[in-house]
Amino acid sequence: MAGEKAEKPDTKEEIPEAKKADAGGKVKKVKQVKKGKPQCSQNPVLVRGIGRYSRSATKYSAAKSKVEKKKKVKVLATVTKPAGGDKNSGTWVVTLHKMPRYYPTEDVPQKLLSHGKKPFSKHVRKLHASITPGTILIILIGCHRGKRVIFLKQLSSGLLLVTGPLSLNQVPLRRTHQKFVIATSTKTAISGVKIPEHLTDAYFKKKVRKPGHQEGEIFDTERNTRLQSSGRLIRKLWTHKFCKESKLFLQKKPKTNKQKKSCSSTPGLPPLCVRSYKRNLSSQSSVLNFLQRT
Amino acid sequence: MSERLWSKATFAGYRWGLWNQREHTALLKVEGIYAQDETEFYLGKRCTYVYKAKNNTVTTDGKPNKTRVIWGKITGVHGNSGMVHAKFQSNLLAKAIGHRIRVMLYLSRI
């Protein structure tokens, strides 16, 4: 319609109408300015002609800013507190966010984030499949080397909590390291025994002895509680009956399945395995039929 | 406990090529292992050369005595017949060739 060039007076009327129509269309496209606050553009200009956000992004950021405005909570900058004293005016104003007292002269460069490096406390603790609560272990190092002990549980540091028990081996409640221990295939039933919760790494950690007059007292009380708790645990673990049988068992030198296997395949295995003692079946069963105590 | 908690081994010599020997690595023959498959148990185990000297030295358990130790560990297999090589904290003395080396049971992987 607009394309037709007619100089007729009829068409002249039409043309301005058409123009009007077009103008009206254009007017329709432009947003009508609301009466009230003039809206500032949500699309900051980077360079003349180029906005920060694309067309689809402007819609998103506009919506987001609306939401943010709603959510903005007034953060208190100061707090008034009552002040004592006669000559002071009843209250004083405390600024909550104080300016820093010190600004470094140079900006310290940010350390790059390291990946996968954890502190010791968060390391993954592994335990050999052969070591389960109640397994009898052979200690290889330390003053108790060569003794067979019962594994109780793995502590949070990864060390193994182990006991002789004291009445049999003179091995107290102690921590050992997995790598300095051989796990035999012999297991005792310990599932019924509750291991007291205070037996943690902190409990076993060596205390630094301070030189001084108070040393004697502190040391004695700690020692007493230690002995008491370990005594309690040992009493829980062993009945008189079991003691007898386990004594037989723990003082014997059993040839375990693993050592048997390894013996046949690797004849060069160390002396413990070479000495073969037949495992006494009756004592084994008695060990396994250990009475459970709650 | 009167058991021996270590395996017997002999210091056979240093690692050597045809014309040179490398004293940083020692070759050990562990008693009882005579094939390569059998050496797997011993890899990574600590070994010690124990010897005596004139002056007393400090010990962890007990009074100072004349015994001295060089610590090392078994690093790998040597050949097909169960020889093993080990590295010590300081190179072994040549006079130890043919003498006893103790192979401990730790670090245990059982």
Side-chain angles (χ1 to χ4, degrees):
Chain A
M1 282 287 288
E4 282 180 27
K5 281 187 179 179
E7 288 174 18
K8 289 175 187 177
D10 299 326
T11 53
K12 270 188 181 178
E13 287 174 35
E14 283 179 13
I15 288 166
E17 277 181 10
K19 276 186 179 176
K20 218 183 178 183
D22 285 338
K26 280 178 187 173
V27 166
K28 279 175 190 173
K29 279 176 192 173
V30 171
K31 251 188 177 178
Q32 284 183 340
V33 178
K34 290 181 187 174
K35 291 178 186 177
K37 288 182 192 172
Q39 280 184 338
C40 46
S41 169
Q42 293 295 324
N43 193 1
V45 172
L46 291 175
V47 174
R48 192 180 81 134
I50 301 173
R52 168 66 183 84
Y53 300 106
S54 65
R55 272 193 205 178
S56 54
T58 46
K59 289 181 191 171
Y60 171 70
S61 63
K64 200 178 165 189
S65 63
K66 277 185 189 172
V67 171
E68 278 176 352
K69 276 180 186 174
K70 283 180 189 172
K71 276 186 180 175
K72 207 177 183 181
V73 178
K74 212 179 180 186
V75 178
L76 293 172
T78 60
V79 165
T80 47
K81 284 189 176 178
D86 298 335
K87 294 187 181 175
N88 298 326
S89 60
T91 56
W92 64 307
V93 176
V94 180
T95 43
L96 291 174
H97 292 288
K98 292 179 188 164
M99 301 299 285
R101 233 185 289 170
Y102 169 73
Y103 288 97
T105 48
E106 274 183 37
D107 284 331
V108 180
Q110 256 193 337
K111 270 191 175 178
L112 294 172
L113 295 170
S114 57
H115 168 72
K117 284 170 193 171
K118 296 182 192 171
F120 179 73
S121 54
K122 289 181 187 166
H123 281 175
V124 176
R125 314 294 177 196
K126 293 182 189 169
L127 193 61
H128 286 310
S130 56
I131 301 179
T132 57
T135 309
I136 293 185
L137 310 173
I138 305 174
I139 297 184
L140 297 172
I141 212 171
C143 55
H144 299 290
R145 66 187 88 99
K147 292 187 184 173
R148 284 139 182 96
V149 292
I150 298 177
F151 169 65
L152 298 175
K153 76 174 207 182
Q154 185 178 37
L155 301 172
S156 58
S157 69
L159 296 175
L160 312 180
L161 177 63
V162 131
T163 184
L166 189 64
S167 51
L168 298 180
N169 299 8
Q170 289 301 304
V171 179
L173 274 173
R174 213 167 193 267
R175 297 188 295 177
T176 51
H177 193 102
Q178 220 185 127
K179 293 213 168 217
F180 297 97
V181 132
I182 291 181
T184 62
S185 62
T186 320
K187 299 192 197 293
T188 57
I190 264 194
S191 51
V193 177
K194 251 192 200 174
I195 297 158
E197 261 136 40
H198 69 266
L199 298 173
T200 57
D201 286 301
Y203 176 80
F204 287 102
K205 205 167 182 185
K206 280 186 184 170
K207 271 100 188 170
V208 177
R209 285 200 220 175
K210 288 181 197 170
H213 298 289
Q214 292 175 357
E215 185 205 305
E217 290 174 359
I218 296 168
F219 186 58
D220 284 334
T221 51
E222 278 177 11
R223 207 177 173 206
N224 279 334
T225 51
R226 272 200 175 204
L227 289 173
Q228 279 171 19
S229 57
S230 62
R232 259 181 245 134
L233 175 62
I234 288 160
R235 262 177 266 129
K236 276 185 201 171
L237 280 174
W238 311 109
T239 59
H240 179 64
K241 183 187 174 189
F242 178 68
C243 255
K244 273 190 192 169
E245 282 146 358
S246 58
K247 195 180 182 184
L248 281 171
F249 175 74
L250 284 169
Q251 285 175 353
K252 267 198 176 176
K253 292 148 195 177
K255 189 178 183 186
T256 60
N257 274 331
K258 273 210 173 146
Q259 291 172 339
K260 264 188 194 166
K261 263 191 211 170
S262 47
C263 253
S264 57
S265 60
T266 58
L269 252 201
L272 286 171
C273 321
V274 173
R275 286 181 226 176
S276 54
Y277 287 84
K278 282 181 192 169
R279 201 194 287 153
N280 189 345
L281 286 173
S282 61
S283 72
Q284 242 272 295
S285 60
S286 64
V287 163
L288 293 173
N289 293 333
F290 171 55
L291 292 170
Q292 291 178 356
R293 279 261 185 101
T294 50
Chain B
M1 294 279 162
S2 56
E3 291 161 358
R4 174 168 50 88
L5 292 173
W6 45 272
S7 279
K8 298 185 194 173
T10 313
F11 173 32
Y14 298 114
R15 182 185 206 157
W16 55 286
L18 198 52
W19 289 289
N20 303 306
Q21 77 177 6
R22 306 296 177 190
E23 293 90 4
H24 47 63
T25 308
L27 299 177
L28 305 184
K29 186 151 207 79
V30 186
E31 213 173 282
I33 325 177
Y34 303 112
Q36 196 182 13
D37 352 333
E38 294 158 17
T39 60
E40 214 235 301
F41 173 81
Y42 289 93
L43 298 180
K45 298 287 182 286
R46 288 282 191 102
C47 45
T48 61
Y49 171 57
V50 183
Y51 62 109
K52 291 187 184 173
K54 183 193 174 195
N55 293 330
N56 284 332
T57 48
V58 192
T59 36
T60 45
D61 297 329
K63 305 167 203 173
N65 58 19
K66 300 189 192 295
T67 314
R68 298 180 187 193
V69 183
I70 301 179
W71 284 91
K73 70 176 171 194
I74 293 179
T75 52
V77 181
H78 183 83
N80 299 324
S81 305
M83 288 284 277
V84 124
H85 49 76
K87 282 196 147 200
F88 287 80
Q89 281 177 0
S90 53
N91 297 343
L92 286 184
L93 309 174
K95 76 170 192 175
I97 291 178
H99 290 278
R100 174 68 63 234
I101 292 216
R102 306 183 183 188
V103 178
M104 317 309 280
L105 291 172
Y106 50 87
L107 282 54
S108 99
R109 282 175 281 132
I110 305 173

